Amino acid sequence: MLIDHPLLGPRDASEFIYMGDAKLLNRPNWKSQNSKTKFLDYGYLRKNPAGVHKELWYHEQGDRSWLVVTRNTVTHEILKVELARDTKGK
Amino acid sequence: MFRLTLSIRKGINNVAKLDLKIKKPLDGYSKVINQIKIAEYQFDNLISLAIPLKTERKCKLNFKKSLGEPMPNIEKSIIDKSGILGFRIGLDLLLVCNPSHSSFVKKTVPSLKQAFYITDQTGGWCGVRVDGDRVIEMLERICPLNLSQKIFAIGDVKRTIMDHLNVIIFRETEKKFILFSPSSSSGSFLKSIEISSRNI
């Protein structure tokens, strides 16, 4: 599988580590009223869809960047690759 | 990695006389296999430069002042007048390799310290230079990168994985590369280069 890195071009998936659901970028506010429920959701609950999924990938054997990869988990087609720093909070 | 070899000789009046010699990770290895010259690339210093948050402009000015060359873009390199190599391997990370310039530690490093976070990684990396007409055939067996010159031009540097080991690969000429791998596994990496060279 090739991941088309936004800065470096297509790179082999063996250079990357899969780091889970991209929702981890949006950490809940601990001061909010129902923060306990939100943190339970943030820490443990995943939708795990069969289809389009936003994922975090870390380019460990490369430039050490964090990417948000939109991937179809059924076909493994990669639809979009962005730097995590550019997507945070969106 | 530098290993200091300590040998004790009997000196005058039973006082030990010590000899300290620097030993490189591959001990100056050099061999030709299938017309590919494989040789340890020896250097005196290798440091990493990390760009502190929101100070890229300051770092660019400092880099130019310290090394006389503009800070390279990502996956590009520079070579200064004295042969010092600068690699940009990430948005906020560079490596500077000093083959043998004597004033590097006293002048260049303190100057770079004014803008960058610096870590001495001299002992952490081992260099191997591979050179020859069939070098691309050899690398294709272990390197997942596209080695075509359109994608990987002369002077480009990339970090990747070869035989499960982390490697920084720098293209010096069309058929000459320097490969930096962790010194702790340099023996294993050299073995994979040798085997790949034999199998082309």
Side-chain angles (χ1 to χ4, degrees):
Chain A
M1 191 166 80
L2 288 176
I3 295 178
D4 196 2
H5 192 293
L7 300 173
L8 315 177
R11 302 294 282 257
D12 196 89
S14 63
E15 293 181 0
F16 297 82
I17 297 180
Y18 172 72
M19 300 298 279
D21 195 322
K23 74 186 269 187
L24 290 170
L25 287 173
N26 299 312
R27 190 180 171 86
N29 182 355
W30 63 275
K31 290 177 184 169
S32 66
Q33 270 192 334
N34 52 351
S35 61
K36 202 174 171 183
T37 315
K38 283 181 180 171
F39 268 100
L40 174 74
D41 182 37
Y42 175 79
Y44 297 104
L45 305 180
R46 300 287 177 265
K47 286 184 181 159
N48 195 22
V52 176
H53 188 218
K54 280 196 165 190
E55 303 166 334
L56 280 175
W57 288 73
Y58 179 53
H59 198 193
E60 191 187 33
Q61 309 286 6
D63 71 337
R64 310 290 169 112
S65 57
W66 287 82
L67 303 180
V68 175
V69 176
T70 309
R71 183 175 69 100
N72 188 319
T73 57
V74 178
T75 62
H76 296 303
E77 183 189 3
I78 290 176
L79 306 163
K80 198 174 180 186
V81 185
E82 303 156 278
L83 286 173
R85 60 162 68 180
D86 296 340
T87 67
K88 197 170 181 302
K90 278 185 186 174
Chain B
M1 181 169 62
F2 294 102
R3 273 178 294 171
L4 290 172
T5 306
L6 177 65
S7 59
I8 301 173
R9 289 188 283 132
K10 195 173 177 183
I12 302 161
N13 296 333
N14 291 329
V15 176
K17 198 174 176 184
L18 308 176
D19 288 334
L20 291 172
K21 289 177 186 169
I22 288 173
K23 198 175 178 187
K24 300 283 182 175
L26 298 176
D27 213 6
Y29 175 96
S30 179
K31 208 171 187 178
V32 177
I33 301 173
N34 269 335
Q35 301 155 45
I36 298 168
K37 187 177 179 196
I38 306 163
E40 181 171 13
Y41 172 74
Q42 301 197 12
F43 50 86
D44 284 355
N45 314 92
L46 195 147
I47 58 170
S48 70
L49 313 179
I51 300 174
L53 201 62
K54 295 176 185 171
T55 63
E56 182 158 348
R57 195 157 171 246
K58 183 184 172 191
C59 287
K60 276 184 176 171
L61 292 170
N62 176 283
F63 192 93
K64 171 89 177 158
K65 187 182 126 202
S66 306
L67 292 165
E69 295 286 335
M71 190 161 84
N73 287 328
I74 192 163
E75 296 206 327
K76 300 288 177 190
S77 67
I78 58 101
I79 303 178
D80 90 336
K81 286 178 203 162
S82 52
I84 294 170
L85 299 163
F87 305 136
R88 186 150 182 192
I89 55 172
L91 272 180
D92 54 2
L93 190 63
L94 295 105
L95 287 180
V96 176
C97 179
N98 168 38
S100 61
H101 198 250
S102 55
S103 69
F104 183 78
V105 175
K106 282 186 182 167
K107 284 187 183 170
T108 315
V109 175
S111 172
L112 288 166
K113 251 184 194 168
Q114 290 170 12
F116 294 92
Y117 296 133
I118 292 186
T119 311
D120 184 2
Q121 299 198 10
T122 311
W125 294 91
C126 167
V128 178
R129 181 180 263 145
V130 287
D131 176 12
D133 284 343
R134 303 188 72 187
V135 74
I136 301 289
E137 287 172 72
M138 181 276 283
L139 284 172
E140 276 174 347
R141 299 181 67 88
I142 52 173
C143 176
L145 297 171
N146 184 344
L147 298 167
S148 135
Q149 271 203 78
K150 284 181 191 167
I151 305 292
F152 195 162
I154 292 167
D156 280 7
V157 61
K158 293 172 191 282
R159 188 176 200 161
T160 187
I161 188 166
M162 295 188 202
D163 263 10
H164 81 270
L165 298 167
N166 179 220
V167 176
I168 294 168
I169 174 170
F170 168 58
R171 187 172 212 154
E172 287 187 290
T173 67
E174 188 189 350
K175 291 171 183 171
K176 195 195 281 187
F177 294 81
I178 300 176
L179 312 171
F180 294 91
S181 76
S183 56
S184 55
S185 51
S186 56
S188 306
F189 184 54
L190 180 64
K191 193 176 176 189
S192 73
I193 294 173
E194 285 182 330
I195 290 170
S196 184
S197 302
R198 281 194 204 105
N199 287 343
I200 52 176

